[in-house]
Amino acid sequence: MIQTQPSARALLPLLLFLALFIGTGTWLTLQGVEFAFYQLPAPVAALPAVVLALFIGREGLSKNLETFFKGVGDSNIMAMCLIYLLAGAFASVAKATGGVDATVALGLSLIPGWALLPGLFLISAFIATAMGTSMGTIGAVAPVALGVAQSAGLDPVLVAGAVLGGAMFGDNLSIISDTTIAATRSQGCEMKDKFRENLMIAAPAALLVMMGYLLLGHVAEVPTQHLDQWVKVLPYLLILGLALSGMNVFLVLGTGILAAGLVGLAGSGYQLGQFTQDIYKGFTSMQEIFLLSMLIGGLGALMERQGGLAWITGHIAALIARFSRGHDSDQNEKAAELGIASVVSLTNACTANNTVAIIVASKVARELAEQHGVTPRRAASLLDIFSCVVQGLIPWGAQALLLGSIFGLSPLAVISMSFYPMALALTAILAVFIKHQMRSR
């Protein structure tokens, strides 16, 4: 039987993990190292935390190891890891067969000269939704966007902000994003349900931002694009359609991998051997998050058994309820939603990695959701949304750093025009309060 007696002592391993991760990143930043917060791999930072958790448990090493292994082998953790592998394989094959370049070219060919900024936002949003990665999207779109900005005379800071916003929009919504996978599997909901919940909050924010970009931009000539490779966009459209139809995610990703491979094999220069190598390359690209998910799964099981999660959830609920007008079920549900948002936001600000933040905060979020009647799809949506908000606004995040290096800008300048995460934070907070205000009428 899992121990539920609250214990702050059980949180020491998590604090050690965060201290190592944050401390190393801060120290390397002071040393002038680029991408300082990404020099220490998260799974390596998690190992000392796991060792500490094994030895501070009062049930003995053998029993603690058994608890750890059960956490590592949890069905949700294993499913999450397999989805990571398949998502990585699809992204790798689709990119190798020219899908990313073809999508960028197709998008630019459809943008009128008076809508360059919102158009670049939409291109980034579509590619990130299809690829499931904001970093991969930025790496593909940013060099093209910089050339467009220079030829059209657009403010590079505005263009960088538009690319960042679109990348975060797509990463947040994509059914093959590691953030979506982590959020849905940890909260026990279907991806299509989380997508619909998420879209109701993200779509108004995106529309608001695109209207703003229309006002900030100006008419310019879009570089001519060649559309002879449009068929390479089809695998992306296929997985989006299949996912929204409700098909099992394993079938969706398997079909997507085959479709992307067939598109490449039907063309010239792409061989079957390369196809298999690209699948494996996609697997290896997910190695870090795969290992971290297992380690955090085991660490979370130890923290749960030792009472750490009960301590966190109890204090968060008490803190937010103190500022609530009442203590009825509706107020408690609102408090839990704000608690989920707060936990993942704080964790993301510390770790500078939205997937890591979701994995670390997921058990606390599920406890709050189950205790106060928050639906799994709502909990998953809030986890993903607020990790996206923070990731898009921190200058030490990989997205702002990468855009800064490509555009030759300070990461602070990039996030200063990162309007979408700001708008998303606003619409998400309003959604929490409006939902409960409507109920009370």
Side-chain angles (χ1 to χ4, degrees):
M1 182 176 178
I2 293 179
Q3 177 183 337
T4 56
Q5 182 67 31
S7 171
R9 180 172 176 263
L11 299 177
L12 290 175
L14 178 61
L15 295 177
L16 176 60
F17 167 66
L18 294 176
L20 288 171
F21 207 84
I22 300 165
T24 302
T26 303
W27 184 77
L28 291 176
T29 299
L30 295 175
Q31 302 300 310
V33 176
E34 292 185 356
F35 294 87
F37 278 82
Y38 299 85
Q39 298 303 309
L40 174 63
V44 176
L47 285 176
V50 171
V51 173
L52 178 60
L54 290 172
F55 283 98
I56 66 172
R58 296 174 180 173
E59 297 181 302
L61 180 60
S62 296
K63 187 65 177 178
N64 289 338
L65 278 171
E66 181 182 339
T67 300
F68 175 75
F69 292 140
K70 285 182 179 178
V72 169
D74 180 84
S75 60
N76 283 324
I77 297 293
M78 289 295 97
M80 187 189 303
C81 289
L82 289 174
I83 294 170
Y84 285 146
L85 295 181
L86 292 174
F90 171 75
S92 177
V93 173
K95 182 177 181 180
T97 54
V100 176
D101 294 336
T103 303
V104 173
L106 177 62
L108 286 174
S109 71
L110 299 175
I111 299 176
W114 51 267
L116 270 179
L117 281 174
L120 288 170
F121 176 91
L122 281 175
I123 290 173
S124 294
F126 176 78
I127 293 177
T129 304
M131 290 179 64
T133 165
S134 56
M135 288 295 287
T137 298
I138 290 170
V141 177
V144 178
L146 177 60
V148 171
Q150 291 172 340
S151 64
L154 291 172
D155 182 353
V157 179
L158 272 175
V159 174
V163 172
L164 176 58
M168 298 312 297
F169 173 89
D171 191 14
N172 177 218
L173 283 173
S174 174
I175 60 97
I176 64 170
S177 167
D178 47 7
T179 60
T180 295
I181 295 165
T184 54
R185 299 305 304 187
S186 66
Q187 302 308 300
C189 75
E190 295 292 331
M191 290 188 176
K192 61 183 177 65
D193 294 331
K194 180 262 183 187
F195 178 89
R196 291 166 183 163
E197 185 85 21
N198 217 150
L199 187 63
M200 296 296 291
I201 298 171
L207 290 172
L208 180 64
V209 168
M210 285 192 291
M211 289 174 62
Y213 282 138
L214 280 173
L215 298 175
L216 291 170
H218 63 268
V219 178
E221 184 178 350
V222 182
T224 303
Q225 302 296 320
H226 300 288
L227 301 180
D228 54 329
Q229 300 295 314
W230 62 269
V231 70
K232 294 180 179 179
V233 182
L234 294 180
Y236 290 136
L237 298 175
L238 176 64
I239 66 162
L240 289 176
L242 292 177
L244 293 177
S245 72
M247 180 182 284
N248 180 280
V249 65
F250 292 98
L251 293 176
V252 170
L253 291 171
T255 303
I257 293 168
L258 288 175
L262 288 173
V263 167
L265 293 170
S268 57
Y270 193 73
Q271 304 297 322
L272 182 61
Q274 186 62 46
F275 177 44
T276 59
Q277 289 295 316
D278 286 331
I279 291 175
Y280 185 70
K281 183 180 178 181
F283 288 170
T284 58
S285 71
M286 291 292 181
Q287 174 180 297
E288 181 174 340
I289 196 62
F290 184 100
L291 294 174
L292 180 65
S293 295
M294 291 196 299
L295 291 174
I296 294 296
L299 182 61
L302 287 169
M303 288 172 55
E304 183 178 8
R305 191 175 189 94
Q306 295 165 11
L309 299 185
W311 188 91
I312 294 176
T313 54
H315 278 70
I316 290 174
L319 179 64
I320 300 178
R322 188 180 304 168
F323 296 95
S324 299
R325 293 181 180 177
H327 300 283
D328 57 19
S329 60
D330 190 62
Q331 289 289 341
N332 287 335
E333 184 181 344
K334 180 172 69 176
E337 291 183 1
L338 293 174
I340 292 169
S342 301
V343 169
V344 76
S345 296
L346 179 60
T347 307
N348 206 137
C350 292
T351 60
N353 187 306
N354 45 348
T355 308
V356 173
I358 290 172
I359 294 171
V360 170
S362 61
K363 278 189 173 291
V364 175
R366 187 157 187 166
E367 288 274 344
L368 286 171
E370 290 176 350
Q371 288 179 13
H372 301 293
V374 179
T375 63
R377 66 177 182 271
R378 182 76 167 185
S381 178
L382 290 171
L383 275 175
D384 207 343
I385 283 173
F386 282 94
S387 67
C388 167
V389 165
V390 174
Q391 190 68 24
L393 292 175
I394 52 176
W396 56 90
Q399 290 80 1
L401 292 170
L402 179 58
L403 272 165
S405 66
I406 293 174
F407 277 74
L409 300 169
S410 162
L412 284 170
V414 173
I415 65 165
S416 70
M417 296 294 181
S418 183
F419 298 136
Y420 174 71
M422 301 176 194
L424 181 61
L426 176 62
T427 56
I429 293 171
L430 286 175
V432 172
F433 284 95
I434 290 174
K435 169 188 172 185
H436 295 282
Q437 186 67 29
M438 290 177 66
R439 278 186 183 176
S440 63
R441 291 181 178 178

